[in-house]
């Protein structure tokens, strides 16, 4: 019997964690399953709900010690499975054959370190997140990633990895965001391959929260730039004046925003329930976060994930967004 461990990070997930655990228990296949919950200070009853379930290991992390990577490393180190499934505490596995399909993909090639699944939105729940999941998690039964430029759908909201690969390359515990992307690049550079498949997946949606969106994109951008800079410093003599760096980053961001605006037309073609102006309001917030993160990178600022907040003046300037929030 194949041993599989689910590692789930939680923080105030009382409304979802019971269903998450129940869906795991209903999965098909001849697997020995355990669930490892890594909680970082829930105060809403999450821990009590988790404690009601059998075959669940509960680990607690002090908020001051928390990081994305540390929480995962703690859970994976405790897990007994040969295969580790990482999902978030509000992600619902979308098909009963999830384990059969994902582990079959991993067993076909000994050099595949992990499989990432499709993240599906709950329709008409949060239009901005619906757009993001559509653009980053396409319908592709098999996409092999063997170089950093080929990455698609890499996320620890839906990942199945071989524990042996994690033992050789654990998650970055200092990263303020993007610990999944950093791990993916590092494991590929170590000679492994990754797979993305929309044949497996989870439902993953949040209630709209401008501070969450801003924090996510600010932290993701800043961490990505720091990681890229570290790589370039190791490979070549890296020295650019601050002005040149900022102009380069601004140009790349403009190209990215224009491409995204074009892709939105296709996304909206069969979603009459979403207002195009709403999506653009969300994008204005996203690119404000990206631009501010680029400025922080140029200045050399070190920013803690939980300290990132959009100021009220900037939020008020996003008038359309303000109207949406008030609704």
């Amino acid at each position: 019997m194949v041993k599989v461990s689910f590692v789930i990070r939680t923080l105030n997930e009382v409304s979802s964690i019971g269903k998450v655990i129940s869906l795991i228990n209903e999965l098909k296949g001849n697997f020995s399953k355990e669930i490892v919950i890594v909680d970082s200070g829930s105060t809403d009853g999450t821990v009590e709900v988790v404690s009601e379930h059998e075959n669940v290991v509960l680990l607690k992390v002090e908020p001051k010690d928390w990081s994305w990577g540390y929480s995962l490393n703690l859970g994976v180190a405790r897990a007994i499975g040969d295969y580790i499934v990482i999902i978030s505490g509000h992600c619902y596995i979308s098909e009963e054959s999830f384990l059969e399909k994902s582990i079959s993909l991993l067993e076909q090639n000994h050099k595949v370190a992990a499989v990432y699944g499709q993240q599906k939105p709950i329709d008409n729940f949060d239009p901005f997140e619906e757009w993001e999941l559509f653009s980053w998690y396409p319908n592709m039964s098999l996409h092999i990633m063997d170089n950093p430029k080929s990455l698609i759908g890499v996320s620890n909201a839906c990942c199945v990895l071989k524990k042996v690969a994690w033992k050789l390359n654990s998650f970055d515990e200092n990263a303020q965001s993007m610990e999944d992307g950093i791990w993916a690049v590092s494991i590929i550079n170590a000679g492994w391959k990754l797979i993305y498949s929309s044949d497996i997946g989870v439902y993953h949606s949040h209630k709209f929260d401008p501070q969450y969106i801003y924090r996510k994109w600010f932290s993701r951008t800043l961490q990505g730039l720091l990681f890229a800079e570290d790589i370039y410093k190791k490979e070549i003599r890296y020295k650019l004046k601050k002005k040149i760096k900022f102009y380069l980053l601004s140009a790349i961001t403009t190209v990215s925003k224009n491409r995204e605006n074009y892709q939105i037309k296709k996304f909206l073609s069969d979603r009459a329930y979403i207002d195009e102006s709403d999506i653009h309001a969300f994008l204005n917030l996203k690119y404000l976060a990206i631009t501010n993160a680029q400025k922080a990178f140029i200045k050399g600022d070190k920013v803690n994930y939980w300290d990132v907040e959009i100021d009220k003046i900037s939020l008020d300037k996003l008038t359309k967004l303000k109207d949406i929030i008030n609704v």
Side-chain angles (χ1 to χ4, degrees):
M1 187 177 290
V2 178
K3 294 179 182 178
V4 181
S5 297
F6 288 78
V7 175
I8 306 173
R9 295 170 294 190
T10 58
L11 175 61
N12 294 330
E13 308 280 9
V14 70
S15 64
S16 58
I17 192 61
K19 181 177 178 179
V20 170
I21 292 172
S22 294
L23 289 172
I24 290 171
N25 289 331
E26 293 170 7
L27 294 176
K28 292 180 179 179
N30 188 28
F31 302 103
S32 171
K33 293 177 289 189
E34 73 160 353
I35 299 173
V36 180
I37 303 290
V38 185
D39 188 82
S40 53
S42 293
T43 57
D44 66 343
T46 296
V47 171
E48 289 74 13
V49 172
V50 167
S51 300
E52 294 172 359
H53 292 266
E54 298 179 358
N55 300 324
V56 176
V57 177
L58 175 62
L59 305 177
K60 295 183 179 180
V61 176
E62 291 294 324
K64 63 181 178 62
D65 298 326
W66 175 90
S67 76
W68 303 106
Y70 173 70
S71 298
L72 282 180
N73 287 338
L74 183 68
V76 177
R78 169 59 182 79
I80 63 172
D82 300 312
Y83 297 97
I84 309 295
V85 181
I86 301 172
I87 59 174
S88 296
H90 49 272
C91 284
Y92 305 128
I93 292 178
S94 60
E95 58 278 309
E96 291 182 339
S97 57
F98 179 93
L99 285 178
E100 292 175 326
K101 291 178 179 178
S102 58
I103 291 177
S104 174
L105 288 170
L106 285 171
E107 289 182 338
Q108 287 176 19
N109 190 325
H110 73 282
K111 290 304 290 181
V112 173
V115 174
Y116 297 92
Q118 187 176 47
Q119 294 183 43
K120 307 171 185 180
I122 299 172
D123 288 349
N124 211 13
F125 192 84
D126 177 353
F128 180 61
E129 188 160 50
E130 195 167 339
W131 154 246
E132 288 211 301
L133 297 183
F134 170 84
S135 60
W136 187 236
Y137 302 97
N139 291 321
M140 301 176 71
S141 290
L142 183 65
H143 173 71
I144 297 174
M145 298 173 273
D146 54 9
N147 68 80
K149 292 182 179 179
S150 63
L151 295 185
I152 290 177
V154 170
S155 170
N156 280 333
C158 184
C159 171
V160 186
L161 60 82
K162 293 175 179 173
K163 189 168 182 179
V164 65
W166 171 84
K167 286 180 178 179
L168 296 173
N169 200 100
S170 60
F171 293 101
D172 186 336
E173 298 188 357
N174 295 315
Q176 292 296 308
S177 182
M178 234 183 76
E179 89 293 337
D180 38 22
I182 293 171
W183 187 83
V185 171
S186 300
I187 205 75
I188 285 176
N189 288 340
W192 292 77
K193 296 179 182 180
L194 302 171
I195 286 176
Y196 167 77
S197 174
S198 57
D199 290 343
I200 62 170
V202 296
Y203 288 103
H204 185 197
S205 289
H206 304 85
K207 289 184 178 179
F208 174 67
D209 179 352
Q211 290 291 0
Y212 166 73
I213 293 172
Y214 183 84
R215 182 184 299 117
K216 178 178 75 171
W217 278 103
F218 182 100
S219 302
R220 183 180 292 178
T221 301
L222 181 57
Q223 188 64 60
L225 290 170
L226 291 170
F227 181 61
E229 183 179 48
D230 185 55
I231 290 176
Y232 287 128
K233 280 181 178 177
K234 291 175 182 176
E235 293 184 355
I236 59 175
R237 195 181 183 109
Y238 180 83
K239 192 174 182 181
L240 285 174
K241 290 184 178 180
K242 287 184 178 181
K243 263 186 184 177
I244 297 175
K245 277 187 188 178
F246 185 70
Y247 286 138
L248 283 172
L249 291 173
S250 297
I252 293 169
T253 301
T254 299
V255 171
S256 177
K257 190 173 183 179
N258 289 339
R259 183 185 300 118
E260 197 161 11
N261 284 331
Y262 174 77
Q263 292 171 334
I264 282 172
K265 300 291 185 184
K266 179 182 178 182
F267 167 71
L268 292 171
S269 62
D270 58 352
R271 291 173 176 82
Y273 55 88
I274 296 179
D275 189 318
E276 183 173 352
S277 62
D278 287 354
I279 295 295
H280 287 292
F282 297 140
L283 289 182
N284 287 337
L285 174 61
K286 169 184 172 179
Y287 283 100
L288 174 65
I290 290 173
T291 300
N292 286 344
Q294 291 169 345
K295 291 177 180 177
F297 170 70
I298 298 300
K299 290 191 294 183
D301 293 344
K302 292 185 178 180
V303 185
N304 182 276
Y305 177 85
W306 292 112
D307 293 336
V308 176
E309 286 188 354
I310 183 173
D311 61 274
K312 188 176 185 306
I313 294 175
S314 296
L315 189 57
D316 285 345
K317 286 181 180 178
L318 299 170
T319 53
K320 174 64 178 177
L321 195 63
K322 188 179 177 183
D323 293 339
I324 296 168
I325 295 168
N326 290 336
V327 173

